[in-house]
Amino acid sequence: MSNDQKVFVPSQPLPPARTGVLTPFEPGTRILEAGFRLAPPFRPLPVDVVFEKDVAVQLRDGVTIHVDVFRPVGTEPVPVLVAWSPYGKGQGSSPSVMGVFGMVGLDNGIVSGLEKFEGPDPAYWCARGYAICNPDIRGVVDSEGDSVLWDRQEGRDCYDLIEWLAQQEWCTGKVGMSGTSYLAVSQWFTAAEQPPHLAAINPWEGVSDVYRDLVLRGGMPDTGFARQLQEGSFFGKNRKEDLVTEAELHPLADDFWAHKVPDFDRITVPAYVVASYSNTLHTAGTFRAWRRMASPDKWLRVHNTQEWPDYYDEANVEDLRRFFDHYLKDVDNGWEHTPRVRYSVLDLQGGDRVNLPADTFPPADVTATKYYLDGRTRTLTTTVPTGEAAVSYPVAANPAAVSFLARFDEDAVLVGYPKAHLWVEARDADDMDLFVLAQKLDAHGTPLQAFTVPNRAAVVHDLTDHGASILRYKGSDGRLRVSARHLDEKLSTEDVPAHSFDRVELLSLGEIVDVEIDLLPIGLTFRAGEQLRFVVSSRNLLGTLMPGIQEYTGANHGEHVIHTGGEHASYLQLPVQSQATTARVRLAADQDDSAIARFEVRAAQRALALLKAKLGRERLLDLLADEIAAGEAYLRDQVARSAGEETTGTTTLHAHGITAAQFTSWLSQAFGREDVLLAGHPEHYSIHAGGGRVNIVETLGDHVCSFFMREWDEAAADPGPANGRRSRIVLEDGTVVGGITNSFTDVADGFTVDLSVTLPASCGPTVIQHHLEHFAVEFHNWILRAASEQSALADG
């Protein structure tokens, strides 16, 4: 496609809100030493890093762009990861990006601020033998040329950058790509150009068809986010593409839009694709690209949150490193045995299941099942209603919608691609904008929803009541302008209808037509008695994709009629997973097997205590010698990586029937009773006081560790709290690896205790959470033991 077909408008410099610490144009190379911190909110670098700033790279047409490169110090060549987007390469520390983290509830301290927005963090990757390249792409900030928006031109430009990177003396010649949203979309386009040195890609949620996903989803000119993207993300010295005007000039999916769809048949590079069910901007495009890309080595993981918390989650970053280590470093780490699909099933009541393995999506045990709309009873049934019935709504009325319910008599799981096949009619109109939604209701008929981000504050409630749908999941939605109902026979499948959008087929008076509407992929579990509600409406049921953008209003008038039953048997097709019969055993007087489970836990505790006593302390430590050595090595490594930075977590317990003084007195005496302390937690292996210090062998996170504590009443680093005790955790060689603080407060009929653990910052939130759970178990058991012994003394 020639640039003559594009429409351009003048660009503008970066506004202050988009400007970061590294935005100023300052070409040169310097060393960022371990411990370097870009600004107070961000994490420090764990290792020395070479920072090459504003390096000029010339593209094939003579345009010069500028890139920032972060790489490990040393002469050993390393692979490089590219983060391609129009977001300024120095924007990671800008107020706008920090504000986005705040909106979703992420701590800016999880990144260094050196990363590109939505891209890989040099602080992590350089410490593990990778370079990071952050480009200011064509037309952005100080780079030359006119910027384009999600276009094959970007694929050609990134091809040129990849081949330039591969020739640098510090590079092994292997290049990967990673990032979310725009940084994911650019990977489809780049991989389709097949640069020889692109070794692997990691698209983490992104549209894959600009027409169908961004500007004309369902054939409707909904350009609110396109305008925000165009006006709020492309800043430079020349011109930028006017996508909104282009959508007005090209309302059909003509050749113009074909150049804004990557050639999926040419994407053959290994790919680790990450998707979700809940991102109303990205979900359809991510799954489409996953289905259509030709790569024989492709993996899909479907998570249960929002892309930014998922992308920067410690465990997920480690998982991604295994993928890149395998393909960019040739590490034989077994990545090829990773399940090709890992999917999630949402519960919307806190019981989500994640990382469920499968060979395909949908999994092989899923059956597409038709649930027929019955206009007489407003229900969904698995048999065709014998009589025809029509339901309607005036589009100007409230409500401008009709809905149908299905109650599940047994537990059910939906995983895959829903679609609606509807027979519809427009009265007093020649077209219809239809919006559909499949949502979960509890057994009482209350709609169930779930936030996809950690922030659940009042402002986020306000934003997501109607709109900002990427932040709160309310169900699987779809939309279609009926005049755009023509199906693309080549791309459509039985599960996923695909529309050509190349023609307008208006309705005539009294004409009843059938339409197929694809809904976003779904992974949803229903317990017996819960319900599914299917809604058909003339209005946007979820509101805007993002906060603060203009909402699309359907182009409707007159009355919409939905025909059901008989020859016009409308249905909702759902992907129902086969449910193996689950054997259940319970006490006759109970509702579930929880009482039996408690019997088992107590028996397991007695058996473990017996085995520990039989083995004795020395034999037990001999058996665990390898695990203890590995645990100590882990802690030393975390201390080195964290460069003095620490992270702390706290859990609070409420105790009744015993005072804080009674418990702390008991605990002080209990340090001479190893059998009592070992019984506090199954993963206590030794708690031995001797030589003026206490040696504890237990788990920290998932690691068995041996460490020492001074007497509880000593302050190892800082003064302890007046109402509690504090100690630092020290390895046998004197390495300080953290601290523990207990703070007690008396309340009516008992006390509360704040239990805090401090560890090296690189341990991350997962290890902290594991140890807080450990605290909860051991102090629960110790407090109950103390109360029991206090009661026995009183009775005696």
Side-chain angles (χ1 to χ4, degrees):
M1 176 177 59
S2 163
N3 273 356
D4 293 339
Q5 295 178 269
K6 293 187 172 75
V7 178
F8 290 92
V9 295
S11 193
Q12 301 87 29
L14 275 174
R18 305 274 176 171
T19 301
V21 177
L22 300 179
T23 295
F25 188 72
E26 299 170 338
T29 300
R30 60 181 170 130
I31 304 295
L32 306 179
E33 296 182 348
F36 169 84
R37 191 195 298 267
L38 185 65
F42 300 107
R43 67 184 294 191
L45 286 177
V47 296
D48 294 348
V49 171
V50 179
F51 176 31
E52 298 183 66
K53 190 175 187 305
D54 293 310
V55 181
V57 179
Q58 190 174 78
L59 306 178
R60 68 185 70 178
D61 62 355
V63 167
T64 296
I65 66 172
H66 297 91
V67 306
D68 287 351
V69 175
F70 301 88
R71 54 186 175 86
V73 171
T75 58
E76 188 74 20
V78 296
V80 57
L81 302 178
V82 176
W84 185 277
S85 77
Y87 312 130
K89 57 184 172 58
Q91 201 173 316
S93 57
S94 67
S96 63
V97 171
M98 294 177 68
V100 166
F101 269 49
M103 178 185 69
V104 301
L106 290 177
D107 185 345
N108 281 281
I110 67 173
V111 291
S112 67
L114 302 174
E115 78 290 343
K116 210 170 191 186
F117 175 49
E118 303 183 318
D121 186 0
Y124 174 88
W125 291 98
C126 290
R128 288 151 181 86
Y130 288 84
I132 298 294
C133 177
N134 292 338
D136 276 339
I137 67 176
R138 177 186 297 264
V140 166
V141 191
D142 294 302
S143 293
E144 297 175 355
D146 297 329
S147 58
V148 296
L149 201 163
W150 282 334
D151 190 86
R152 293 190 182 185
Q153 175 68 54
E154 292 191 277
R156 296 190 292 271
D157 288 352
C158 194
Y159 177 116
D160 295 347
L161 174 60
I162 287 170
E163 294 308 300
W164 178 87
L165 288 167
Q167 301 305 315
Q168 303 308 299
E169 62 180 4
W170 51 262
C171 183
T172 61
K174 289 196 173 185
V175 183
M177 297 183 72
S178 179
T180 82
S181 191
Y182 203 110
L183 286 78
V185 184
S186 62
Q187 294 178 60
W188 315 128
F189 287 109
T190 302
E193 296 295 325
Q194 298 185 337
H197 290 91
L198 180 62
I201 61 173
N202 167 233
W204 208 295
E205 297 205 48
V207 309
S208 60
D209 185 316
V210 173
Y211 183 99
R212 290 168 173 82
D213 296 338
L214 181 65
V215 293
L216 282 139
R217 183 182 170 196
M220 303 176 193
D222 185 355
T223 57
F225 180 65
R227 183 180 298 278
Q228 184 185 68
L229 184 64
Q230 174 181 313
E231 296 178 354
S233 300
F234 286 80
F235 297 96
K237 297 180 176 179
N238 299 307
R239 300 185 303 167
K240 58 183 175 182
E241 188 175 3
D242 185 353
L243 192 70
V244 175
T245 297
E246 290 168 347
E248 295 172 356
L249 296 175
H250 300 271
L252 298 180
D254 56 16
D255 289 342
F256 177 87
W257 297 111
H259 287 264
K260 290 186 177 292
V261 181
D263 187 346
F264 297 108
D265 290 338
R266 289 178 51 82
I267 301 177
T268 57
V269 69
Y272 176 13
V273 180
V274 180
S276 72
Y277 307 119
S278 56
N279 194 311
T280 42
L281 172 63
H282 294 149
T283 295
T286 310
F287 278 92
R288 181 191 303 111
W290 154 259
R291 292 192 305 270
R292 292 182 58 186
M293 66 166 52
S295 173
D297 299 312
K298 61 181 181 181
W299 283 264
L300 174 68
R301 182 173 65 82
V302 188
H303 64 88
N304 65 330
T305 61
Q306 195 266 346
E307 65 201 58
W308 302 319
D310 190 69
Y311 185 73
Y312 292 109
D313 177 81
E314 178 186 20
N316 295 336
V317 177
E318 289 291 330
D319 187 55
L320 176 60
R321 182 163 68 95
R322 289 185 60 243
F323 170 74
F324 279 135
D325 280 355
H326 187 72
Y327 284 107
L328 271 64
K329 291 187 172 184
D330 299 318
V331 176
D332 184 13
N333 58 11
W335 171 266
E336 68 276 17
H337 302 302
T338 302
R340 288 304 180 107
V341 173
R342 288 173 287 171
Y343 66 96
S344 61
V345 174
L346 311 184
D347 176 73
L348 306 186
Q349 298 182 88
D352 294 356
R353 292 180 293 151
V354 298
N355 291 322
L356 301 173
D359 295 325
T360 60
F361 188 91
D365 58 353
V366 167
T367 302
T369 305
K370 294 180 175 63
Y371 284 77
Y372 293 93
L373 282 60
D374 189 331
R376 294 170 301 181
T377 61
R378 291 289 197 91
T379 58
L380 298 167
T381 67
T382 53
T383 57
V384 179
T386 55
E388 292 197 22
V391 290
S392 65
Y393 53 83
V395 299
N398 184 13
V402 294
S403 62
F404 304 82
L405 297 178
R407 183 181 295 273
F408 292 94
D409 296 326
E410 298 179 348
D411 291 356
V413 176
L414 309 180
V415 183
Y417 301 105
K419 75 171 183 181
H421 188 118
L422 305 177
W423 290 90
V424 299
E425 175 189 358
R427 292 177 182 162
D428 301 320
D430 58 8
D431 209 348
M432 312 166 66
D433 278 358
L434 293 178
F435 298 84
V436 296
L437 176 67
Q439 63 179 164
K440 179 180 176 179
L441 313 179
D442 68 15
H444 304 290
T446 303
L448 297 175
Q449 308 172 0
F451 284 103
T452 62
V453 295
N455 187 6
R456 284 87 190 271
V459 172
V460 180
H461 279 271
D462 298 341
L463 290 173
T464 57
D465 275 344
H466 183 75
S469 54
I470 68 163
L471 304 179
R472 193 199 298 194
Y473 182 63
K474 300 179 182 180
S476 171
D477 78 310
R479 61 169 68 179
L480 181 68
R481 176 165 284 182
V482 172
S483 63
R485 64 188 176 277
H486 183 265
L487 293 174
D488 185 321
E489 295 182 0
K490 180 180 179 181
L491 297 180
S492 293
T493 68
E494 181 58 32
D495 290 339
V496 186
H499 301 90
S500 64
F501 296 118
D502 60 355
R503 67 198 70 186
V504 176
E505 298 178 326
L506 295 175
L507 299 173
S508 58
L509 183 65
E511 183 180 12
I512 301 172
V513 298
D514 64 320
V515 298
E516 291 211 333
I517 306 176
D518 56 310
L519 282 75
L520 294 184
I522 197 170
L524 203 55
T525 186
F526 291 82
R527 297 183 181 87
E530 294 179 334
Q531 302 172 78
L532 182 142
R533 180 186 180 216
F534 177 60
V535 189
V536 184
S537 180
S538 64
R539 64 182 183 90
N540 188 347
L541 294 164
L542 298 181
T544 61
L545 301 168
M546 305 284 182
I549 64 175
Q550 183 177 355
E551 182 175 354
Y552 172 74
T553 302
N556 289 301
H557 62 274
E559 186 175 9
H560 289 179
V561 183
I562 314 299
H563 293 266
T564 71
E567 295 183 0
H568 297 117
S570 297
Y571 61 83
L572 173 65
Q573 182 170 293
L574 296 173
V576 180
Q577 190 170 45
S578 299
Q579 297 296 294
T581 301
T582 303
R584 295 177 183 153
V585 179
R586 58 180 173 80
L587 295 176
D590 292 343
Q591 297 297 313
D592 54 36
D593 64 351
S594 58
I596 299 176
R598 289 194 298 271
F599 300 160
E600 183 180 19
V601 169
R602 286 198 291 269
Q605 290 171 334
R606 290 196 300 269
L608 186 58
L610 175 63
L611 289 174
K612 286 179 180 178
K614 285 284 187 182
L615 285 169
R617 181 172 183 270
E618 297 304 322
R619 288 176 64 192
L620 188 61
L621 295 185
D622 286 343
L623 288 172
L624 292 173
D626 291 343
E627 287 78 8
I628 292 171
E632 290 180 338
Y634 164 77
L635 288 175
R636 291 191 188 97
D637 181 59
Q638 299 309 306
V639 170
R641 290 181 184 278
S642 299
E645 294 296 315
E646 294 183 325
T647 183
T648 298
T650 301
T651 190
T652 300
L653 301 183
H654 296 263
H656 299 275
I658 183 174
T659 67
Q662 288 172 328
F663 172 69
T664 55
S665 174
W666 176 90
L667 187 61
S668 297
Q669 298 173 18
F671 267 91
R673 302 165 60 190
E674 186 175 20
D675 62 320
V676 173
L677 296 184
L678 288 180
H681 192 286
E683 292 178 317
H684 284 172
Y685 302 109
S686 175
I687 302 178
H688 179 68
R693 59 181 185 171
V694 177
N695 176 216
I696 298 177
V697 181
E698 65 178 26
T699 52
L700 279 173
D702 291 328
H703 301 273
V704 178
C705 300
S706 174
F707 55 85
F708 294 85
M709 296 167 54
R710 295 181 175 89
E711 291 296 329
W712 279 106
D713 290 331
E714 292 186 24
D718 301 310
N723 57 342
R725 298 170 178 180
R726 178 182 177 88
S727 177
R728 297 294 276 178
I729 304 170
V730 183
L731 298 183
E732 188 168 17
D733 65 0
T735 302
V736 177
V737 296
I740 291 173
T741 302
N742 304 332
S743 179
F744 298 88
T745 303
D746 282 311
V747 296
D749 190 37
F751 66 89
T752 65
V753 55
D754 294 326
L755 306 169
S756 301
V757 62
T758 299
L759 293 172
S762 63
C763 288
T766 302
V767 176
I768 291 289
Q769 180 59 35
H770 284 177
H771 204 69
L772 295 181
E773 293 170 1
H774 182 113
F775 272 158
V777 172
E778 67 181 359
F779 273 81
H780 167 270
N781 291 337
W782 284 341
I783 292 169
L784 291 181
R785 180 74 171 259
S788 175
E789 293 187 5
Q790 290 282 346
S791 177
L793 286 173
D795 292 342

